[in-house]
PDB file of all heavy atoms in Angstrom:
ATOM      1  N   THR A 296     133.476-132.416 -19.761  1.00 97.00           N
ATOM      2  CA  THR A 296     133.615-132.491 -21.215  1.00 97.00           C
ATOM      3  C   THR A 296     134.222-131.203 -21.756  1.00 97.00           C
ATOM      4  O   THR A 296     135.127-131.240 -22.607  1.00 97.00           O
ATOM      5  CB  THR A 296     132.242-132.744 -21.869  1.00 97.00           C
ATOM      6  OG1 THR A 296     131.702-133.960 -21.339  1.00 97.00           O
ATOM      7  CG2 THR A 296     132.355-132.837 -23.371  1.00 97.00           C
ATOM      8  N   LEU A 297     133.751-130.070 -21.262  1.00 98.00           N
ATOM      9  CA  LEU A 297     134.273-128.776 -21.722  1.00 98.00           C
ATOM     10  C   LEU A 297     135.727-128.593 -21.319  1.00 98.00           C
ATOM     11  O   LEU A 297     136.532-128.084 -22.103  1.00 98.00           O
ATOM     12  CB  LEU A 297     133.402-127.639 -21.178  1.00 98.00           C
ATOM     13  CG  LEU A 297     131.995-127.579 -21.749  1.00 98.00           C
ATOM     14  CD1 LEU A 297     131.120-126.631 -20.942  1.00 98.00           C
ATOM     15  CD2 LEU A 297     132.026-127.166 -23.213  1.00 98.00           C
ATOM     16  N   THR A 298     136.072-129.017 -20.105  1.00 98.00           N
ATOM     17  CA  THR A 298     137.447-128.901 -19.624  1.00 98.00           C
ATOM     18  C   THR A 298     138.392-129.661 -20.545  1.00 98.00           C
ATOM     19  O   THR A 298     139.438-129.146 -20.943  1.00 98.00           O
ATOM     20  CB  THR A 298     137.551-129.430 -18.174  1.00 98.00           C
ATOM     21  OG1 THR A 298     136.729-128.622 -17.341  1.00 98.00           O
ATOM     22  CG2 THR A 298     138.970-129.394 -17.660  1.00 98.00           C
ATOM     23  N   GLU A 299     138.018-130.874 -20.871  1.00 97.00           N
ATOM     24  CA  GLU A 299     138.841-131.699 -21.749  1.00 97.00           C
ATOM     25  C   GLU A 299     138.904-131.119 -23.162  1.00 97.00           C
ATOM     26  O   GLU A 299     139.966-131.079 -23.788  1.00 97.00           O
ATOM     27  CB  GLU A 299     138.289-133.123 -21.796  1.00 97.00           C
ATOM     28  CG  GLU A 299     139.137-134.067 -22.602  1.00 97.00           C
ATOM     29  CD  GLU A 299     138.582-135.481 -22.599  1.00 97.00           C
ATOM     30  OE1 GLU A 299     138.046-135.914 -21.560  1.00 97.00           O
ATOM     31  OE2 GLU A 299     138.704-136.147 -23.652  1.00 97.00           O
ATOM     32  N   ALA A 300     137.771-130.653 -23.664  1.00 97.00           N
ATOM     33  CA  ALA A 300     137.698-130.165 -25.043  1.00 97.00           C
ATOM     34  C   ALA A 300     138.533-128.916 -25.283  1.00 97.00           C
ATOM     35  O   ALA A 300     139.160-128.782 -26.337  1.00 97.00           O
ATOM     36  CB  ALA A 300     136.243-129.896 -25.429  1.00 97.00           C
ATOM     37  N   ILE A 301     138.552-127.996 -24.314  1.00 97.00           N
ATOM     38  CA  ILE A 301     139.278-126.742 -24.560  1.00 97.00           C
ATOM     39  C   ILE A 301     140.645-126.711 -23.883  1.00 97.00           C
ATOM     40  O   ILE A 301     141.415-125.771 -24.094  1.00 97.00           O
ATOM     41  CB  ILE A 301     138.452-125.503 -24.175  1.00 97.00           C
ATOM     42  CG1 ILE A 301     138.284-125.371 -22.664  1.00 97.00           C
ATOM     43  CG2 ILE A 301     137.113-125.503 -24.878  1.00 97.00           C
ATOM     44  CD1 ILE A 301     137.764-124.019 -22.237  1.00 97.00           C
ATOM     45  N   GLY A 302     140.945-127.696 -23.055  1.00 97.00           N
ATOM     46  CA  GLY A 302     142.266-127.779 -22.433  1.00 97.00           C
ATOM     47  C   GLY A 302     142.531-126.722 -21.377  1.00 97.00           C
ATOM     48  O   GLY A 302     143.662-126.291 -21.202  1.00 97.00           O
ATOM     49  N   ALA A 303     141.495-126.308 -20.680  1.00 97.00           N
ATOM     50  CA  ALA A 303     141.651-125.313 -19.617  1.00 97.00           C
ATOM     51  C   ALA A 303     141.419-125.988 -18.268  1.00 97.00           C
ATOM     52  O   ALA A 303     140.737-127.008 -18.188  1.00 97.00           O
ATOM     53  CB  ALA A 303     140.656-124.173 -19.807  1.00 97.00           C
ATOM     54  N   PRO A 304     141.983-125.430 -17.193  1.00 97.00           N
ATOM     55  CA  PRO A 304     141.756-126.009 -15.865  1.00 97.00           C
ATOM     56  C   PRO A 304     140.276-125.958 -15.474  1.00 97.00           C
ATOM     57  O   PRO A 304     139.563-124.994 -15.787  1.00 97.00           O
ATOM     58  CB  PRO A 304     142.587-125.120 -14.939  1.00 97.00           C
ATOM     59  CG  PRO A 304     143.511-124.369 -15.821  1.00 97.00           C
ATOM     60  CD  PRO A 304     142.865-124.277 -17.162  1.00 97.00           C
ATOM     61  N   ARG A 305     139.825-126.983 -14.771  1.00 96.00           N
ATOM     62  CA  ARG A 305     138.423-127.089 -14.376  1.00 96.00           C
ATOM     63  C   ARG A 305     137.923-125.861 -13.596  1.00 96.00           C
ATOM     64  O   ARG A 305     136.833-125.367 -13.880  1.00 96.00           O
ATOM     65  CB  ARG A 305     138.214-128.372 -13.572  1.00 96.00           C
ATOM     66  CG  ARG A 305     136.769-128.632 -13.239  1.00 96.00           C
ATOM     67  CD  ARG A 305     136.616-129.910 -12.419  1.00 96.00           C
ATOM     68  NE  ARG A 305     135.228-130.180 -12.161  1.00 96.00           N
ATOM     69  CZ  ARG A 305     134.468-131.000 -12.861  1.00 96.00           C
ATOM     70  NH1 ARG A 305     134.993-131.654 -13.874  1.00 96.00           N
ATOM     71  NH2 ARG A 305     133.206-131.171 -12.552  1.00 96.00           N
ATOM     72  N   PRO A 306     138.689-125.343 -12.607  1.00 97.00           N
ATOM     73  CA  PRO A 306     138.193-124.158 -11.891  1.00 97.00           C
ATOM     74  C   PRO A 306     137.982-122.957 -12.821  1.00 97.00           C
ATOM     75  O   PRO A 306     137.013-122.216 -12.671  1.00 97.00           O
ATOM     76  CB  PRO A 306     139.279-123.869 -10.858  1.00 97.00           C
ATOM     77  CG  PRO A 306     139.991-125.167 -10.672  1.00 97.00           C
ATOM     78  CD  PRO A 306     139.932-125.848 -12.021  1.00 97.00           C
ATOM     79  N   SER A 307     138.859-122.806 -13.787  1.00 97.00           N
ATOM     80  CA  SER A 307     138.727-121.710 -14.745  1.00 97.00           C
ATOM     81  C   SER A 307     137.477-121.892 -15.595  1.00 97.00           C
ATOM     82  O   SER A 307     136.706-120.945 -15.818  1.00 97.00           O
ATOM     83  CB  SER A 307     139.973-121.652 -15.637  1.00 97.00           C
ATOM     84  OG  SER A 307     139.825-120.676 -16.634  1.00 97.00           O
ATOM     85  N   VAL A 308     137.256-123.105 -16.077  1.00 97.00           N
ATOM     86  CA  VAL A 308     136.076-123.387 -16.890  1.00 97.00           C
ATOM     87  C   VAL A 308     134.806-123.098 -16.091  1.00 97.00           C
ATOM     88  O   VAL A 308     133.882-122.451 -16.577  1.00 97.00           O
ATOM     89  CB  VAL A 308     136.102-124.850 -17.399  1.00 97.00           C
ATOM     90  CG1 VAL A 308     134.755-125.251 -18.001  1.00 97.00           C
ATOM     91  CG2 VAL A 308     137.212-125.029 -18.430  1.00 97.00           C
ATOM     92  N   SER A 309     134.767-123.549 -14.852  1.00 96.00           N
ATOM     93  CA  SER A 309     133.594-123.318 -14.003  1.00 96.00           C
ATOM     94  C   SER A 309     133.337-121.833 -13.790  1.00 96.00           C
ATOM     95  O   SER A 309     132.186-121.379 -13.847  1.00 96.00           O
ATOM     96  CB  SER A 309     133.778-124.011 -12.656  1.00 96.00           C
ATOM     97  OG  SER A 309     133.780-125.408 -12.821  1.00 96.00           O
ATOM     98  N   GLN A 310     134.391-121.069 -13.544  1.00 97.00           N
ATOM     99  CA  GLN A 310     134.230-119.624 -13.324  1.00 97.00           C
ATOM    100  C   GLN A 310     133.722-118.927 -14.582  1.00 97.00           C
ATOM    101  O   GLN A 310     132.835-118.069 -14.515  1.00 97.00           O
ATOM    102  CB  GLN A 310     135.549-119.002 -12.873  1.00 97.00           C
ATOM    103  CG  GLN A 310     135.930-119.371 -11.461  1.00 97.00           C
ATOM    104  CD  GLN A 310     137.288-118.821 -11.070  1.00 97.00           C
ATOM    105  OE1 GLN A 310     138.066-118.372 -11.908  1.00 97.00           O
ATOM    106  NE2 GLN A 310     137.589-118.872  -9.781  1.00 97.00           N
ATOM    107  N   HIS A 311     134.273-119.287 -15.718  1.00 97.00           N
ATOM    108  CA  HIS A 311     133.837-118.658 -16.975  1.00 97.00           C
ATOM    109  C   HIS A 311     132.400-119.049 -17.318  1.00 97.00           C
ATOM    110  O   HIS A 311     131.628-118.216 -17.794  1.00 97.00           O
ATOM    111  CB  HIS A 311     134.788-119.011 -18.115  1.00 97.00           C
ATOM    112  CG  HIS A 311     136.095-118.293 -18.033  1.00 97.00           C
ATOM    113  ND1 HIS A 311     136.209-116.928 -18.201  1.00 97.00           N
ATOM    114  CD2 HIS A 311     137.344-118.741 -17.789  1.00 97.00           C
ATOM    115  CE1 HIS A 311     137.480-116.566 -18.075  1.00 97.00           C
ATOM    116  NE2 HIS A 311     138.186-117.654 -17.817  1.00 97.00           N
ATOM    117  N   LEU A 312     132.040-120.299 -17.071  1.00 97.00           N
ATOM    118  CA  LEU A 312     130.659-120.718 -17.312  1.00 97.00           C
ATOM    119  C   LEU A 312     129.693-119.949 -16.411  1.00 97.00           C
ATOM    120  O   LEU A 312     128.598-119.576 -16.845  1.00 97.00           O
ATOM    121  CB  LEU A 312     130.502-122.223 -17.093  1.00 97.00           C
ATOM    122  CG  LEU A 312     131.062-123.108 -18.201  1.00 97.00           C
ATOM    123  CD1 LEU A 312     131.088-124.564 -17.745  1.00 97.00           C
ATOM    124  CD2 LEU A 312     130.266-122.947 -19.487  1.00 97.00           C
ATOM    125  N   ALA A 313     130.098-119.712 -15.177  1.00 96.00           N
ATOM    126  CA  ALA A 313     129.244-118.945 -14.260  1.00 96.00           C
ATOM    127  C   ALA A 313     129.022-117.533 -14.794  1.00 96.00           C
ATOM    128  O   ALA A 313     127.894-117.015 -14.770  1.00 96.00           O
ATOM    129  CB  ALA A 313     129.873-118.907 -12.869  1.00 96.00           C
ATOM    130  N   LYS A 314     130.079-116.891 -15.298  1.00 96.00           N
ATOM    131  CA  LYS A 314     129.935-115.544 -15.872  1.00 96.00           C
ATOM    132  C   LYS A 314     129.001-115.561 -17.077  1.00 96.00           C
ATOM    133  O   LYS A 314     128.148-114.683 -17.234  1.00 96.00           O
ATOM    134  CB  LYS A 314     131.297-114.995 -16.300  1.00 96.00           C
ATOM    135  CG  LYS A 314     132.163-114.555 -15.153  1.00 96.00           C
ATOM    136  CD  LYS A 314     133.469-113.971 -15.655  1.00 96.00           C
ATOM    137  CE  LYS A 314     134.344-113.577 -14.479  1.00 96.00           C
ATOM    138  NZ  LYS A 314     135.597-112.969 -14.909  1.00 96.00           N
ATOM    139  N   LEU A 315     129.181-116.559 -17.940  1.00 97.00           N
ATOM    140  CA  LEU A 315     128.351-116.654 -19.137  1.00 97.00           C
ATOM    141  C   LEU A 315     126.893-116.936 -18.782  1.00 97.00           C
ATOM    142  O   LEU A 315     125.973-116.418 -19.406  1.00 97.00           O
ATOM    143  CB  LEU A 315     128.896-117.740 -20.071  1.00 97.00           C
ATOM    144  CG  LEU A 315     130.253-117.432 -20.705  1.00 97.00           C
ATOM    145  CD1 LEU A 315     130.829-118.680 -21.368  1.00 97.00           C
ATOM    146  CD2 LEU A 315     130.144-116.293 -21.700  1.00 97.00           C
ATOM    147  N   ARG A 316     126.685-117.749 -17.753  1.00 96.00           N
ATOM    148  CA  ARG A 316     125.320-118.058 -17.318  1.00 96.00           C
ATOM    149  C   ARG A 316     124.659-116.827 -16.709  1.00 96.00           C
ATOM    150  O   ARG A 316     123.508-116.506 -17.019  1.00 96.00           O
ATOM    151  CB  ARG A 316     125.331-119.211 -16.313  1.00 96.00           C
ATOM    152  CG  ARG A 316     123.947-119.730 -15.970  1.00 96.00           C
ATOM    153  CD  ARG A 316     123.996-120.921 -15.033  1.00 96.00           C
ATOM    154  NE  ARG A 316     124.832-120.723 -13.864  1.00 96.00           N
ATOM    155  CZ  ARG A 316     124.496-120.001 -12.792  1.00 96.00           C
ATOM    156  NH1 ARG A 316     123.329-119.403 -12.740  1.00 96.00           N
ATOM    157  NH2 ARG A 316     125.317-119.888 -11.767  1.00 96.00           N
ATOM    158  N   LEU A 317     125.391-116.109 -15.862  1.00 95.00           N
ATOM    159  CA  LEU A 317     124.846-114.893 -15.251  1.00 95.00           C
ATOM    160  C   LEU A 317     124.519-113.830 -16.290  1.00 95.00           C
ATOM    161  O   LEU A 317     123.584-113.050 -16.120  1.00 95.00           O
ATOM    162  CB  LEU A 317     125.814-114.342 -14.211  1.00 95.00           C
ATOM    163  CG  LEU A 317     125.914-115.150 -12.914  1.00 95.00           C
ATOM    164  CD1 LEU A 317     127.033-114.620 -12.026  1.00 95.00           C
ATOM    165  CD2 LEU A 317     124.591-115.128 -12.171  1.00 95.00           C
ATOM    166  N   ALA A 318     125.285-113.807 -17.369  1.00 94.00           N
ATOM    167  CA  ALA A 318     125.033-112.846 -18.444  1.00 94.00           C
ATOM    168  C   ALA A 318     123.897-113.298 -19.359  1.00 94.00           C
ATOM    169  O   ALA A 318     123.490-112.558 -20.251  1.00 94.00           O
ATOM    170  CB  ALA A 318     126.310-112.643 -19.261  1.00 94.00           C
ATOM    171  N   GLY A 319     123.409-114.509 -19.158  1.00 94.00           N
ATOM    172  CA  GLY A 319     122.312-115.014 -19.975  1.00 94.00           C
ATOM    173  C   GLY A 319     122.732-115.560 -21.321  1.00 94.00           C
ATOM    174  O   GLY A 319     121.902-115.738 -22.211  1.00 94.00           O
ATOM    175  N   LEU A 320     124.028-115.837 -21.486  1.00 96.00           N
ATOM    176  CA  LEU A 320     124.507-116.344 -22.769  1.00 96.00           C
ATOM    177  C   LEU A 320     124.459-117.858 -22.850  1.00 96.00           C
ATOM    178  O   LEU A 320     124.391-118.418 -23.950  1.00 96.00           O
ATOM    179  CB  LEU A 320     125.928-115.845 -23.049  1.00 96.00           C
ATOM    180  CG  LEU A 320     126.094-114.325 -23.095  1.00 96.00           C
ATOM    181  CD1 LEU A 320     127.514-113.960 -23.446  1.00 96.00           C
ATOM    182  CD2 LEU A 320     125.116-113.698 -24.062  1.00 96.00           C
ATOM    183  N   VAL A 321     124.550-118.526 -21.714  1.00 97.00           N
ATOM    184  CA  VAL A 321     124.413-119.980 -21.689  1.00 97.00           C
ATOM    185  C   VAL A 321     123.321-120.363 -20.701  1.00 97.00           C
ATOM    186  O   VAL A 321     123.045-119.637 -19.738  1.00 97.00           O
ATOM    187  CB  VAL A 321     125.736-120.715 -21.329  1.00 97.00           C
ATOM    188  CG1 VAL A 321     126.829-120.425 -22.341  1.00 97.00           C
ATOM    189  CG2 VAL A 321     126.201-120.392 -19.940  1.00 97.00           C
ATOM    190  N   ALA A 322     122.701-121.480 -20.974  1.00 96.00           N
ATOM    191  CA  ALA A 322     121.683-122.037 -20.085  1.00 96.00           C
ATOM    192  C   ALA A 322     122.270-123.277 -19.428  1.00 96.00           C
ATOM    193  O   ALA A 322     123.207-123.892 -19.956  1.00 96.00           O
ATOM    194  CB  ALA A 322     120.442-122.397 -20.889  1.00 96.00           C
ATOM    195  N   SER A 323     121.736-123.628 -18.277  1.00 96.00           N
ATOM    196  CA  SER A 323     122.198-124.840 -17.602  1.00 96.00           C
ATOM    197  C   SER A 323     120.993-125.636 -17.119  1.00 96.00           C
ATOM    198  O   SER A 323     119.922-125.077 -16.871  1.00 96.00           O
ATOM    199  CB  SER A 323     123.110-124.490 -16.427  1.00 96.00           C
ATOM    200  OG  SER A 323     122.416-123.749 -15.454  1.00 96.00           O
ATOM    201  N   ARG A 324     121.198-126.935 -17.015  1.00 95.00           N
ATOM    202  CA  ARG A 324     120.163-127.819 -16.486  1.00 95.00           C
ATOM    203  C   ARG A 324     120.856-128.992 -15.806  1.00 95.00           C
ATOM    204  O   ARG A 324     121.973-129.351 -16.148  1.00 95.00           O
ATOM    205  CB  ARG A 324     119.212-128.309 -17.585  1.00 95.00           C
ATOM    206  CG  ARG A 324     119.884-129.207 -18.609  1.00 95.00           C
ATOM    207  CD  ARG A 324     118.879-129.806 -19.599  1.00 95.00           C
ATOM    208  NE  ARG A 324     119.565-130.616 -20.579  1.00 95.00           N
ATOM    209  CZ  ARG A 324     119.952-131.873 -20.406  1.00 95.00           C
ATOM    210  NH1 ARG A 324     119.734-132.483 -19.264  1.00 95.00           N
ATOM    211  NH2 ARG A 324     120.557-132.529 -21.373  1.00 95.00           N
ATOM    212  N   ARG A 325     120.174-129.558 -14.840  1.00 94.00           N
ATOM    213  CA  ARG A 325     120.693-130.729 -14.135  1.00 94.00           C
ATOM    214  C   ARG A 325     120.372-131.987 -14.920  1.00 94.00           C
ATOM    215  O   ARG A 325     119.274-132.146 -15.446  1.00 94.00           O
ATOM    216  CB  ARG A 325     120.080-130.836 -12.752  1.00 94.00           C
ATOM    217  CG  ARG A 325     120.711-129.896 -11.775  1.00 94.00           C
ATOM    218  CD  ARG A 325     120.943-130.648 -10.461  1.00 94.00           C
ATOM    219  NE  ARG A 325     121.801-129.889  -9.589  1.00 94.00           N
ATOM    220  CZ  ARG A 325     123.117-130.049  -9.512  1.00 94.00           C
ATOM    221  NH1 ARG A 325     123.718-130.910 -10.270  1.00 94.00           N
ATOM    222  NH2 ARG A 325     123.829-129.332  -8.679  1.00 94.00           N
ATOM    223  N   ASP A 326     121.353-132.877 -14.986  1.00 92.00           N
ATOM    224  CA  ASP A 326     121.168-134.194 -15.589  1.00 92.00           C
ATOM    225  C   ASP A 326     121.790-135.190 -14.618  1.00 92.00           C
ATOM    226  O   ASP A 326     122.988-135.469 -14.691  1.00 92.00           O
ATOM    227  CB  ASP A 326     121.834-134.260 -16.956  1.00 92.00           C
ATOM    228  CG  ASP A 326     121.581-135.578 -17.670  1.00 92.00           C
ATOM    229  OD1 ASP A 326     120.632-136.292 -17.289  1.00 92.00           O
ATOM    230  OD2 ASP A 326     122.344-135.894 -18.607  1.00 92.00           O
ATOM    231  N   GLY A 327     120.981-135.650 -13.673  1.00 93.00           N
ATOM    232  CA  GLY A 327     121.512-136.504 -12.609  1.00 93.00           C
ATOM    233  C   GLY A 327     122.409-135.687 -11.711  1.00 93.00           C
ATOM    234  O   GLY A 327     122.001-134.661 -11.175  1.00 93.00           O
ATOM    235  N   ARG A 328     123.657-136.112 -11.590  1.00 93.00           N
ATOM    236  CA  ARG A 328     124.625-135.392 -10.754  1.00 93.00           C
ATOM    237  C   ARG A 328     125.404-134.333 -11.522  1.00 93.00           C
ATOM    238  O   ARG A 328     126.234-133.631 -10.956  1.00 93.00           O
ATOM    239  CB  ARG A 328     125.593-136.394 -10.129  1.00 93.00           C
ATOM    240  CG  ARG A 328     124.900-137.329  -9.146  1.00 93.00           C
ATOM    241  CD  ARG A 328     125.833-138.335  -8.561  1.00 93.00           C
ATOM    242  NE  ARG A 328     127.057-137.714  -8.081  1.00 93.00           N
ATOM    243  CZ  ARG A 328     128.105-138.394  -7.634  1.00 93.00           C
ATOM    244  NH1 ARG A 328     128.073-139.704  -7.615  1.00 93.00           N
ATOM    245  NH2 ARG A 328     129.184-137.764  -7.217  1.00 93.00           N
ATOM    246  N   HIS A 329     125.162-134.224 -12.807  1.00 93.00           N
ATOM    247  CA  HIS A 329     125.902-133.288 -13.652  1.00 93.00           C
ATOM    248  C   HIS A 329     125.050-132.072 -13.991  1.00 93.00           C
ATOM    249  O   HIS A 329     123.834-132.156 -14.080  1.00 93.00           O
ATOM    250  CB  HIS A 329     126.328-133.962 -14.961  1.00 93.00           C
ATOM    251  CG  HIS A 329     127.226-135.134 -14.768  1.00 93.00           C
ATOM    252  ND1 HIS A 329     128.572-135.012 -14.583  1.00 93.00           N
ATOM    253  CD2 HIS A 329     126.960-136.464 -14.718  1.00 93.00           C
ATOM    254  CE1 HIS A 329     129.110-136.204 -14.425  1.00 93.00           C
ATOM    255  NE2 HIS A 329     128.144-137.120 -14.502  1.00 93.00           N
ATOM    256  N   VAL A 330     125.738-130.960 -14.213  1.00 95.00           N
ATOM    257  CA  VAL A 330     125.097-129.770 -14.760  1.00 95.00           C
ATOM    258  C   VAL A 330     125.529-129.689 -16.214  1.00 95.00           C
ATOM    259  O   VAL A 330     126.724-129.726 -16.521  1.00 95.00           O
ATOM    260  CB  VAL A 330     125.507-128.487 -13.999  1.00 95.00           C
ATOM    261  CG1 VAL A 330     124.889-127.262 -14.653  1.00 95.00           C
ATOM    262  CG2 VAL A 330     125.103-128.586 -12.541  1.00 95.00           C
TER     263      VAL A 330
END
């Protein structure tokens, strides 16, 4: 959903989300097969 919404490549979105999560700015949770 985020990839489509911001128009960035999926690997880039995943890497940026990882940085934001490690910094404590975003939270993540599992919902079935999705994070």
Side-chain angles (χ1 to χ4, degrees):
T296 302
L297 292 168
T298 298
E299 184 179 324
I301 70 167
R305 186 181 183 97
S307 175
V308 168
S309 293
Q310 288 176 346
H311 286 293
L312 285 169
K314 285 182 182 182
L315 292 168
R316 189 177 50 77
L317 288 173
L320 301 183
V321 299
S323 63
R324 66 174 178 82
R325 282 224 168 265
D326 184 18
R328 294 178 48 187
H329 299 277
V330 176

